[in-house]
Amino acid sequence: MIKKLNLFTIIFIFLAKFSYAAEVNVFSARHYDSDLQLYEKFTAKTGIKVNVVSGKDKALEKRIIEEAESSKADLYITSDAGRLGDLDSKGFFQNSITPAIELAVPSNFRSQNWTGISKRARIFYYDPNKISLEDLNGISYEDLADKKWKGKIVIRKSNNIYNQSLVASLIKNNGKDQTQQWAKNLVSNFARKPKGNDRAQILAVAAGEAELAIANTYYYALMLSGQKGEDQKKAALKVLPFFPNQNDRGAHMNVSGGGILKNSPNPQNAKKLLEFLLTKEAQEHIVNNTFEYPMLESVKPHPIVQKMGMNFKQDLTTKVDDYQKNQADALEIMLKAGWK
């Protein structure tokens, strides 16, 4: 009887360990139902169950930091390199780069401890009835400080992480002093006080409240898709996209990405999931549902995104890992310039 009990106990412990090992716990600040569908595909292929905790970045980071070694989180996924870099700077990631990831992702779109999964560009949107292509020929982010744009530009608030990463990239390329003057001049060119999300900036141009907006590419494509309603689709059709800095480093790029947490109980499963997200199947799923750019060159963006232009020059020299390093200075510069 005792032997049978011992055997039962051993089997129970083995099965419990196997069950525990066949899972991966994802903390995600990306709010796409399509991501959940992608995780289901991963489970069907590998047998590894994906448990997802969704939330805003600050709340998820707070939980990870507070739980420390007792945290069950394996993989942290979010929508900005600056956010990934921030958590990494606090020592909460381990090395997440496998040979497969290293092969799939260019070095400027990853760090040692986290990797980009998909890309987006932060570009200009203009009213073609008020601005011609000749006006934009050769234009850069830096040129938006010119007085010719006074009262014509809209962009969201300084507390927006996408803006902070953009300014951080300018600091990396132009230095802090020059970027401070740029921000001061840019603010003087605002058509209104910053408010709303990226789509609100595009809507402002369509409504004639401004002539040029700065926003991420997938927001514009989302509007064109009609998923945000017919009114937003009609508004998006009134404006056109423009990719700046084509004569030098290229358009500012950012990533959605993920990293394996230092205290991950299932790091090998987390690596498998990261690698899966960078397969052709997963990349096609991502871009066709979120309108982001694929990380893999072999995968084409969504047809709507393709129509925006496929041959633009991306900034491949500024490492996205540098955004976090300059983000505190970026916010300081923006606030000092009066960028509310």
Side-chain angles (χ1 to χ4, degrees):
M1 183 70 177
I2 294 174
K3 288 183 178 180
K4 288 183 178 179
L5 284 174
N6 286 342
L7 181 61
F8 175 79
T9 302
I10 291 169
I11 292 172
F12 178 80
I13 291 171
F14 173 79
L15 291 174
K17 285 185 176 179
F18 178 80
S19 175
Y20 181 70
E23 69 177 10
V24 59
N25 304 309
V26 176
F27 276 32
S28 177
R30 278 171 58 90
H31 307 292
Y32 295 106
D33 290 339
S34 59
D35 281 8
L36 300 180
Q37 297 163 8
L38 193 54
Y39 299 149
E40 290 174 0
K41 289 183 179 181
F42 172 74
T43 299
K45 282 182 172 292
T46 64
I48 299 171
K49 182 182 178 184
V50 182
N51 305 309
V52 182
V53 175
S54 297
K56 294 185 176 180
D57 280 286
K58 288 184 179 180
L60 292 175
E61 288 181 15
K62 184 173 184 289
R63 178 172 171 180
I64 290 168
I65 291 169
E66 288 179 349
E67 291 181 352
E69 294 181 3
S70 63
S71 176
K72 297 295 187 288
D74 294 303
L75 188 61
Y76 182 64
I77 293 179
T78 189
S79 299
D80 187 274
R83 287 173 173 149
L84 289 163
D86 181 59
L87 196 59
D88 193 15
S89 70
K90 296 170 183 173
F92 278 87
F93 282 135
Q94 58 178 282
N95 189 322
S96 306
I97 309 303
T98 67
I101 293 172
E102 193 171 36
L103 186 64
V105 182
S107 61
N108 57 297
F109 290 126
R110 55 180 163 84
S111 76
Q112 183 178 1
N113 292 330
W114 52 264
T115 182
I117 295 167
S118 56
K119 301 182 290 186
R120 67 279 304 273
R122 193 157 186 77
I123 65 169
F124 303 163
Y125 302 87
Y126 68 100
D127 181 348
N129 293 317
K130 297 179 179 178
I131 298 175
S132 69
L133 272 177
E134 289 182 2
D135 295 326
L136 296 174
N137 185 37
I139 194 174
S140 66
Y141 299 99
E142 289 84 348
D143 291 332
L144 295 185
D146 193 293
K147 290 180 180 179
K148 67 180 284 186
W149 297 105
K150 190 168 184 66
K152 297 180 179 180
I153 297 171
V154 284
I155 190 170
R156 59 201 290 184
K157 293 182 178 180
S158 59
N159 63 2
N160 173 249
I161 191 71
Y162 306 145
N163 283 341
Q164 291 173 18
S165 289
L166 172 61
V167 177
S169 74
L170 290 170
I171 293 172
K172 175 65 177 178
N173 284 284
N174 303 322
K176 188 174 179 180
D177 291 343
Q178 188 173 326
T179 304
Q180 180 70 72
Q181 187 60 50
W182 170 86
K184 182 181 177 181
N185 293 340
L186 177 69
V187 169
S188 70
N189 289 340
F190 286 173
R192 66 180 187 189
K193 290 182 179 180
K195 62 179 180 179
N197 58 20
D198 273 18
R199 284 183 286 114
Q201 315 314 313
I202 296 169
L203 288 168
V205 173
E209 298 172 20
E211 294 183 16
L212 186 144
I214 302 170
N216 284 350
T217 42
Y218 58 89
Y219 284 107
Y220 179 63
L222 180 63
M223 294 169 73
L224 288 174
S225 75
Q227 292 183 29
K228 288 299 178 179
E230 196 60 27
D231 287 345
Q232 290 205 13
K233 181 177 180 178
K234 288 179 180 178
L237 288 169
K238 292 180 180 179
V239 307
L240 293 174
F242 188 86
F243 295 88
N245 290 77
Q246 296 303 286
N247 293 338
D248 47 68
R249 65 183 179 276
H252 171 75
M253 305 299 294
N254 206 330
V255 299
S256 282
I260 301 167
L261 292 155
K262 179 177 65 175
N263 298 309
S264 164
N266 305 293
Q268 294 308 312
N269 292 344
K271 286 181 180 179
K272 289 178 182 178
L273 179 53
L274 268 184
E275 289 178 345
F276 171 75
L277 294 175
L278 290 161
T279 61
K280 185 176 181 180
E281 176 190 1
Q283 290 280 291
E284 288 176 345
H285 179 97
I286 290 171
V287 301
N288 285 320
N289 284 281
T290 68
F291 305 105
E292 295 171 283
Y293 289 100
M295 190 59 69
L296 300 183
E297 291 185 5
S298 60
V299 175
K300 291 184 178 180
H302 188 282
I304 291 175
V305 177
Q306 291 184 47
K307 288 180 181 178
M308 293 169 62
M310 288 288 289
N311 298 319
F312 73 95
K313 184 179 180 180
Q314 302 178 32
D315 181 357
L316 301 178
T317 57
T318 309
K319 288 179 64 67
V320 297
D321 190 27
D322 286 329
Y323 297 167
Q324 184 276 331
K325 298 172 185 176
N326 293 297
Q327 221 134 34
D329 285 341
L331 182 57
E332 178 189 342
I333 282 172
M334 296 159 84
L335 294 176
K336 190 175 180 181
W339 189 333
K340 303 299 183 184

